[in-house]
């Protein structure tokens, strides 16, 4: 079935609006990640404005229309980059504004002198670099390092980056070799890929946010609130796993009894007793080292 280019534009706008609405709805369920999801929704709305302007670019001068389209699209990709940075509590707002300003000046100068080559190919390079950086930040992110959804999110951004690198460097070769008909084919391929990206990228972020929240809830259910050590259930679960996976390596179990602890509570009060437990837990955690399972068994 053949789908004309205008229909693909409408399809892209529709999927972007649905994805943005879903992100805004999910903000209510994930208040800890409301800002990240809000930034990502703003990125999708920037893409929507860019697509709508592209659909009506014949009503504007070539340079002005293409420059505005690319500024809106780059704003969207930079917002996606900032959403990824927000997962680790970082912000790159100032550097994003500086990068966008530099690109706007470059487009104003070069876009008027080499319009066809610039807007069809060269303008793809900043998009490819931004998406590549997004994939790299996801790969290095502390927040998503142990999440199963990380490879999916990294792959989506990396594939999008590779696609636009191909538009910048391979597409001109294909057009020169096979003629101007390749422009229409490349345009349709870009729109198909845009539809997939507009669905897959927001969904990968939702996977990350939901999995992160699930792990946080699991961690809270397995942690002693006062000392921050593993609770009794988590201790026996982790200890059993360590015994199963030790492969004839020695495993040691140390038990400590705090003498006269009841006297501390009776004489100085339970808040002081809690501070003593916290101090002992911090000391035990520090001396045992990382990767050790500790549990307070009683008071």
């Amino acid at each position: 079935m053949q789908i004309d280019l205008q229909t693909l534009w409408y399809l892209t706008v529709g999927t972007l609006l649905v994805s943005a609405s879903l992100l805004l709805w999910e903000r209510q369920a994930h208040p800890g990640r409301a800002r990240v999801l809000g930034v990502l929704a703003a990125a999708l709305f920037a893409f929507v404005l860019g697509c709508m302007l592209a659909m009506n670019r014949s009503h504007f001068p070539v340079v002005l229309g293409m420059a505005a389209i690319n500024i809106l699209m780059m704003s969207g990709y930079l917002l996606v980059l900032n959403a990824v940075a927000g997962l680790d509590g970082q912000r790159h707002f100032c550097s994003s504004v500086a990068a966008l300003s530099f690109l706007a000046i470059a487009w104003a100068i070069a876009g008027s002198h080499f319009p066809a080559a610039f807007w069809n190919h060269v303008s793809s390079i900043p998009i490819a670099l931004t998406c590549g950086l997004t994939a790299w930040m996801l790969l290095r992110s502390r927040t998503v390092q142990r999440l199963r959804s990380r490879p999916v999110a990294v792959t989506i951004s990396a594939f999008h980056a590779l696609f636009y690198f191909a538009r910048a460097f391979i597409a001109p070769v294909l057009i020169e070799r096979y003629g101007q008909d390749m422009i229409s084919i490349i345009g349709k391929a870009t729109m198909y890929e845009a539809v997939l990206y507009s669905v897959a990228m927001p969904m990968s972020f939702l996977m990350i946010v939901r999995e992160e929240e699930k792990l946080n809830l699991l961690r809270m259910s397995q942690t002693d609130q006062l000392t921050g050590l593993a609770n009794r259930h988590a201790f026996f679960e982790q200890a059993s796993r360590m015994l199963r996976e030790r492969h004839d390596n020695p495993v040691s179990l140390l038990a400590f009894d705090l003498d006269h602890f009841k006297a501390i509570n009776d004489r100085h009060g339970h808040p002081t007793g809690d501070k003593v437990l916290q101090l002992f837990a911090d000391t035990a955690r520090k001396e045992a080292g990382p990767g050790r399972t500790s549990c307070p068994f009683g008071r």
Side-chain angles (χ1 to χ4, degrees), residues 181-204:
D181 291 341
M182 286 299 301
I183 295 179
S184 176
I185 296 174
I186 293 171
K188 283 191 175 182
T190 301
M191 296 309 302
Y192 279 118
E193 199 272 343
V195 171
L196 294 175
Y197 180 77
S198 65
V199 175
M201 185 271 292
M203 293 305 101
S204 68

Short mmCIF file of all heavy atoms in Angstrom, two decimals, residues 181-204:
data_model
loop_
_atom_site.label_atom_id
_atom_site.label_comp_id
_atom_site.label_asym_id
_atom_site.label_seq_id
_atom_site.Cartn_x
_atom_site.Cartn_y
_atom_site.Cartn_z
N ASP A 181 15.04 11.19 -8.30
CA ASP A 181 13.95 10.40 -7.75
C ASP A 181 14.27 9.90 -6.34
O ASP A 181 13.36 9.60 -5.54
CB ASP A 181 13.66 9.19 -8.65
CG ASP A 181 13.06 9.61 -9.98
OD1 ASP A 181 12.53 10.74 -10.05
OD2 ASP A 181 13.10 8.82 -10.94
N MET A 182 15.55 9.83 -6.01
CA MET A 182 15.95 9.36 -4.68
C MET A 182 15.53 10.34 -3.59
O MET A 182 15.35 9.95 -2.43
CB MET A 182 17.47 9.17 -4.62
CG MET A 182 17.98 7.94 -5.35
SD MET A 182 17.30 6.39 -4.66
CE MET A 182 17.86 6.49 -2.97
N ILE A 183 15.35 11.61 -3.94
CA ILE A 183 14.95 12.61 -2.93
C ILE A 183 13.59 12.25 -2.34
O ILE A 183 13.39 12.30 -1.12
CB ILE A 183 14.92 14.02 -3.55
CG1 ILE A 183 16.32 14.44 -3.98
CG2 ILE A 183 14.33 15.03 -2.57
CD1 ILE A 183 16.39 15.80 -4.63
N SER A 184 12.65 11.86 -3.21
CA SER A 184 11.32 11.47 -2.73
C SER A 184 11.39 10.20 -1.88
O SER A 184 10.72 10.10 -0.85
CB SER A 184 10.39 11.24 -3.93
OG SER A 184 9.13 10.78 -3.50
N ILE A 185 12.21 9.24 -2.28
CA ILE A 185 12.35 7.99 -1.53
C ILE A 185 12.96 8.26 -0.15
O ILE A 185 12.48 7.74 0.87
CB ILE A 185 13.22 6.99 -2.31
CG1 ILE A 185 12.53 6.60 -3.62
CG2 ILE A 185 13.52 5.75 -1.46
CD1 ILE A 185 13.38 5.73 -4.53
N ILE A 186 14.00 9.10 -0.13
CA ILE A 186 14.64 9.44 1.14
C ILE A 186 13.66 10.20 2.04
O ILE A 186 13.61 9.99 3.25
CB ILE A 186 15.92 10.26 0.89
CG1 ILE A 186 16.96 9.39 0.20
CG2 ILE A 186 16.46 10.83 2.20
CD1 ILE A 186 18.17 10.16 -0.29
N GLY A 187 12.86 11.08 1.44
CA GLY A 187 11.86 11.83 2.21
C GLY A 187 10.85 10.91 2.87
O GLY A 187 10.52 11.07 4.05
N LYS A 188 10.36 9.92 2.12
CA LYS A 188 9.40 8.96 2.70
C LYS A 188 10.04 8.11 3.77
O LYS A 188 9.44 7.83 4.82
CB LYS A 188 8.81 8.08 1.59
CG LYS A 188 7.76 8.76 0.74
CD LYS A 188 7.03 7.77 -0.14
CE LYS A 188 5.90 8.44 -0.91
NZ LYS A 188 5.13 7.49 -1.74
N ALA A 189 11.28 7.67 3.53
CA ALA A 189 11.99 6.88 4.54
C ALA A 189 12.17 7.68 5.83
O ALA A 189 12.02 7.15 6.93
CB ALA A 189 13.36 6.44 4.00
N THR A 190 12.45 8.98 5.67
CA THR A 190 12.59 9.86 6.84
C THR A 190 11.29 9.94 7.62
O THR A 190 11.29 9.89 8.86
CB THR A 190 13.02 11.27 6.40
OG1 THR A 190 14.27 11.18 5.70
CG2 THR A 190 13.17 12.18 7.59
N MET A 191 10.17 10.04 6.92
CA MET A 191 8.88 10.15 7.60
C MET A 191 8.49 8.84 8.29
O MET A 191 7.97 8.85 9.42
CB MET A 191 7.79 10.56 6.60
CG MET A 191 7.99 11.95 6.00
SD MET A 191 8.28 13.22 7.24
CE MET A 191 6.81 13.07 8.24
N TYR A 192 8.74 7.70 7.63
CA TYR A 192 8.47 6.41 8.28
C TYR A 192 9.30 6.27 9.56
O TYR A 192 8.80 5.84 10.60
CB TYR A 192 8.81 5.26 7.32
CG TYR A 192 7.73 4.95 6.31
CD1 TYR A 192 7.97 5.08 4.94
CD2 TYR A 192 6.47 4.52 6.72
CE1 TYR A 192 6.98 4.81 4.01
CE2 TYR A 192 5.47 4.24 5.80
CZ TYR A 192 5.73 4.39 4.44
OH TYR A 192 4.75 4.11 3.51
N GLU A 193 10.57 6.65 9.45
CA GLU A 193 11.45 6.55 10.63
C GLU A 193 11.00 7.53 11.71
O GLU A 193 11.09 7.22 12.91
CB GLU A 193 12.89 6.84 10.20
CG GLU A 193 13.94 6.35 11.18
CD GLU A 193 14.26 7.36 12.25
OE1 GLU A 193 13.93 8.55 12.06
OE2 GLU A 193 14.86 6.98 13.28
N ALA A 194 10.50 8.69 11.31
CA ALA A 194 10.02 9.68 12.28
C ALA A 194 8.80 9.16 13.04
O ALA A 194 8.67 9.39 14.25
CB ALA A 194 9.67 10.99 11.56
N VAL A 195 7.91 8.46 12.35
CA VAL A 195 6.74 7.88 13.02
C VAL A 195 7.19 6.87 14.07
O VAL A 195 6.69 6.86 15.21
CB VAL A 195 5.79 7.22 11.99
CG1 VAL A 195 4.70 6.44 12.70
CG2 VAL A 195 5.18 8.28 11.08
N LEU A 196 8.13 6.00 13.70
CA LEU A 196 8.63 5.01 14.65
C LEU A 196 9.30 5.68 15.84
O LEU A 196 9.09 5.28 17.00
CB LEU A 196 9.61 4.06 13.94
CG LEU A 196 9.03 3.16 12.86
CD1 LEU A 196 10.14 2.37 12.16
CD2 LEU A 196 8.00 2.20 13.46
N TYR A 197 10.09 6.71 15.58
CA TYR A 197 10.80 7.42 16.66
C TYR A 197 9.81 8.11 17.59
O TYR A 197 9.99 8.11 18.81
CB TYR A 197 11.76 8.43 16.05
CG TYR A 197 12.54 9.22 17.07
CD1 TYR A 197 13.62 8.67 17.74
CD2 TYR A 197 12.20 10.55 17.35
CE1 TYR A 197 14.35 9.41 18.67
CE2 TYR A 197 12.92 11.29 18.27
CZ TYR A 197 13.99 10.72 18.93
OH TYR A 197 14.70 11.46 19.85
N SER A 198 8.77 8.71 17.02
CA SER A 198 7.80 9.45 17.83
C SER A 198 7.01 8.54 18.76
O SER A 198 6.43 9.01 19.75
CB SER A 198 6.82 10.22 16.92
OG SER A 198 6.04 9.33 16.15
N VAL A 199 6.98 7.26 18.47
CA VAL A 199 6.32 6.29 19.36
C VAL A 199 7.33 5.62 20.28
O VAL A 199 7.14 5.55 21.50
CB VAL A 199 5.57 5.23 18.54
CG1 VAL A 199 5.01 4.15 19.46
CG2 VAL A 199 4.45 5.87 17.73
N ALA A 200 8.43 5.15 19.71
CA ALA A 200 9.39 4.33 20.47
C ALA A 200 10.14 5.14 21.52
O ALA A 200 10.35 4.66 22.64
CB ALA A 200 10.38 3.67 19.50
N MET A 201 10.56 6.36 21.17
CA MET A 201 11.35 7.14 22.12
C MET A 201 10.58 7.48 23.40
O MET A 201 11.07 7.24 24.51
CB MET A 201 11.89 8.40 21.43
CG MET A 201 12.85 9.24 22.29
SD MET A 201 11.96 10.46 23.28
CE MET A 201 11.35 11.56 22.00
N PRO A 202 9.34 8.04 23.31
CA PRO A 202 8.60 8.30 24.56
C PRO A 202 8.30 7.02 25.34
O PRO A 202 8.34 7.03 26.58
CB PRO A 202 7.31 8.96 24.06
CG PRO A 202 7.63 9.48 22.71
CD PRO A 202 8.62 8.53 22.13
N MET A 203 8.00 5.93 24.64
CA MET A 203 7.71 4.68 25.33
C MET A 203 8.93 4.17 26.09
O MET A 203 8.82 3.62 27.19
CB MET A 203 7.23 3.62 24.34
CG MET A 203 5.89 3.90 23.68
SD MET A 203 4.54 4.18 24.85
CE MET A 203 4.42 5.98 24.82
N SER A 204 10.11 4.36 25.52
CA SER A 204 11.32 3.91 26.21
C SER A 204 11.54 4.71 27.48
O SER A 204 12.00 4.17 28.50
CB SER A 204 12.54 4.02 25.28
OG SER A 204 12.86 5.38 25.00
#
